[in-house]
Amino acid sequence: MKKYLWNYGILVGIIIFLAVGIPRITSNEVGSLHSPDEKKKVEQFQESFRKWSLKPLDKLMV
């Protein structure tokens, strides 16, 4: 019985840790995108990805 309670307590502790940790991690990642420097980097990555992903289509269209 004691072992069962110990295992149950560990499981509840892990669930509480994840419930508190995951929102903090995601809010920190989203918060960093508010800086102008990060927005420029994201726009550059998106632009370069679009150019890279459309190259094979350009070859087929010609």
Side-chain angles (χ1 to χ4, degrees), residues 1-61:
M1 187 70 171
K2 203 174 196 182
K3 188 175 181 181
Y4 174 75
L5 290 174
W6 185 252
N7 289 338
Y8 184 71
I10 291 173
L11 181 65
V12 169
I14 291 172
I15 291 171
I16 290 172
F17 179 76
L18 291 175
V20 170
I22 290 174
R24 286 188 180 197
I25 292 169
T26 56
S27 68
N28 286 342
E29 289 176 357
V30 173
S32 67
L33 292 176
H34 293 297
S35 68
D37 190 36
E38 286 290 323
K39 285 183 181 180
K40 288 179 185 177
K41 286 181 183 179
V42 169
E43 288 173 2
Q44 288 175 350
F45 285 134
Q46 287 176 342
E47 194 172 311
S48 65
F49 179 75
R50 283 190 193 115
K51 288 179 184 177
W52 172 80
S53 64
L54 291 176
K55 279 183 183 179
L57 289 176
D58 290 341
K59 291 178 182 176
L60 291 174
M61 297 293 264

